[in-house]
Amino acid sequence: MRKPLSRILCALAFLAFALTAIAQNRQDPKQRVEALEQQVQKNLQERKPELAIPLLREIVSIDPDNLNAHGNLGVLLFFQGNYSEAIPQMRSAVRAKPDLWRIEALLGIAEKRTGDPSAAQDDLERAFAKLEDKNIAKEAGLELVELDSSFGQFAKASSVTEKLEELLPEDPQILFVAYEISVQMMDQSRLNMLLVAPDSAEMHMIMGGELGRQGDHANAIAQYREAIKLNPMLPGVHFELAEQLRASPDPAMNAQAESEYNAAVKVNQYDEKAWCGLGDSVAEAGDFKAAEEDYQKALALQPRDADAQTGLAIALTTMNQMSEAVPLLESAVKNDPTNIVAHYRLSVLYRRAGRIADAQHEMSEYAHYKELKDKMSQVFKQFRVQRDQK
């Protein structure tokens, strides 16, 4: 009996469908990967990473050596917060091509956030030195600083913050982290000294410096004097004592500063700061010619010292040598734009010379930086009050 035509057509249609399915199943894996990659690109261009992820999973299942698929899948999983699944994908990519610095940086961050600090530190250290993108470098650097600090490796952390400051010198977050690291390094150094040599001249010098920063000049002076008793040749100790004597509210103490500056330059004739301080001290006593000589010695050692340039300019102005003072002050404000004394003195000399616009500009700079310094002084004063109240 002949079969109805309709049944024959249905059978042929089914057979055609089955053959098509078999052909698809036997599709060349390379062609399948290429098709998936095209779809991935389309999804990423349309900002639909959630659609690209399963396609990338399929690609790596078909082609386990596909570097791009591993890398892209790891990155997409990372930015979804799926660090545990992102790590093996990014690690595969980095092992296949070790110079994928951005991916290795993300790998280190993911390892840190999943509780593998040692691996994270290794990956972040390798990647951070090679990163060129400032945003990625910032994120990787800040994570690395946290790791280095947690291991007590403050010198390493400091070197990272130095590079971050070079990349982003006006970023408040980086400046704050750099400040914190410097404080931690100081704390660690004080503790080490306390454990190793609690009664040494160096320990007294550290204590004097801390007291001086807190504004306790009287006790700072006592600590520096004790350090000198133990070691009068200790580098820097006479200069630091002289600085505290000059900062003291007691005129009798101020009068003793000059002798300590002299002691400092006798111990070390290359102590540029001590020569500058000696110039300040003798200028305050009215001996501007001697001050000129001391400032010149300081500038011979450090030609860009804005304080020495300003001090010398003031001494020359007092001796009616204004034409020589102007270039010194111009150089001083260039070397240190925050030097309010230099701005003020330069404004006065410009006005005397009839350079009214330049004088007004320098006075404006003076007012701007003076306001900033006054605000900073108030902040530090509040810190001291809060500390004393604890």
Side-chain angles (χ1 to χ4, degrees), residues 135-171:
N135 292 325
I136 295 178
K138 175 183 175 179
E139 294 304 317
L142 291 175
E143 298 278 4
L144 182 55
V145 167
E146 283 189 17
L147 285 168
D148 291 340
S149 299
S150 69
F151 290 132
Q153 299 171 347
F154 298 116
K156 277 188 173 183
S158 179
S159 68
V160 175
T161 60
E162 285 179 9
K163 182 173 180 181
L164 288 173
E165 286 183 287
E166 290 176 5
L167 290 173
L168 299 162
E170 298 181 357
D171 189 308

Side-chain angles (χ1 to χ4, degrees), residues 361-374:
H361 172 74
E362 291 304 323
M363 188 56 69
S364 175
E365 292 292 285
Y366 162 79
H368 170 66
Y369 287 112
K370 185 177 186 303
E371 181 182 5
L372 288 179
K373 290 194 173 187
D374 288 344

Side-chain angles (χ1 to χ4, degrees), residues 82-332:
N82 190 348
Y83 304 126
S84 59
E85 288 191 50
I87 287 172
Q89 301 299 333
M90 292 191 290
R91 191 171 285 155
S92 295
V94 169
R95 285 175 178 171
K97 196 172 188 300
D99 62 349
L100 297 174
W101 307 119
R102 293 185 182 186
I103 291 179
E104 186 165 18
L106 297 179
L107 171 61
I109 294 172
E111 288 167 334
K112 176 178 176 289
R113 294 177 182 177
T114 53
D116 191 354
S118 295
Q121 188 182 44
D122 290 341
D123 284 318
L124 285 169
E125 281 182 353
R126 277 193 297 270
F128 180 71
K130 302 290 185 178
L131 292 172
E132 296 180 356
D133 183 285
K134 291 184 179 181
N135 292 325
I136 295 178
K138 175 183 175 179
E139 294 304 317
L142 291 175
E143 298 278 4
L144 182 55
V145 167
E146 283 189 17
L147 285 168
D148 291 340
S149 299
S150 69
F151 290 132
Q153 299 171 347
F154 298 116
K156 277 188 173 183
S158 179
S159 68
V160 175
T161 60
E162 285 179 9
K163 182 173 180 181
L164 288 173
E165 286 183 287
E166 290 176 5
L167 290 173
L168 299 162
E170 298 181 357
D171 189 308
Q173 186 179 9
I174 290 172
L175 294 174
F176 176 71
V177 170
Y179 163 77
E180 282 195 318
I181 293 300
S182 66
V183 170
Q184 288 175 315
M185 291 182 72
M186 287 177 60
D187 289 343
Q188 185 182 54
S189 296
R190 279 198 299 267
L191 178 60
N192 291 341
M193 183 67 76
L194 188 62
L195 294 172
V196 173
D199 299 318
S200 64
E202 289 81 0
M203 186 68 229
H204 285 288
M205 195 169 175
I206 288 175
M207 293 169 65
E210 184 61 29
L211 290 165
R213 279 186 290 274
Q214 294 173 9
D216 189 349
H217 303 296
N219 283 315
I221 289 168
Q223 290 296 328
Y224 284 126
R225 290 198 189 284
E226 190 63 32
I228 290 171
K229 286 180 184 178
L230 294 169
N231 183 3
M233 303 298 289
L234 182 64
V237 67
H238 289 285
F239 169 75
E240 295 296 345
L241 174 56
E243 292 285 282
Q244 291 302 313
L245 289 167
R246 278 190 69 207
S248 172
D250 184 351
M253 292 293 183
N254 303 155
Q256 299 174 34
E258 183 180 341
S259 64
E260 291 302 326
Y261 284 125
N262 274 310
V265 296
K266 284 180 182 177
V267 171
N268 178 14
Q269 61 178 319
Y270 301 104
D271 189 341
E272 186 267 336
K273 291 297 182 185
W275 282 115
C276 185
L278 183 58
D280 292 340
S281 184
V282 296
E284 288 169 2
D287 190 347
F288 297 105
K289 187 60 181 175
E292 178 187 4
E293 294 175 1
D294 293 331
Y295 289 130
Q296 292 285 13
K297 289 176 182 177
L299 290 171
L301 295 168
Q302 179 48 267
R304 294 171 60 86
D305 186 331
D307 291 331
Q309 290 174 322
T310 302
L312 178 56
I314 293 172
L316 292 172
T317 301
T318 306
M319 294 186 292
N320 295 316
Q321 300 177 36
M322 270 75 78
S323 60
E324 296 178 40
V326 170
L328 282 166
L329 292 171
E330 289 173 337
S331 181

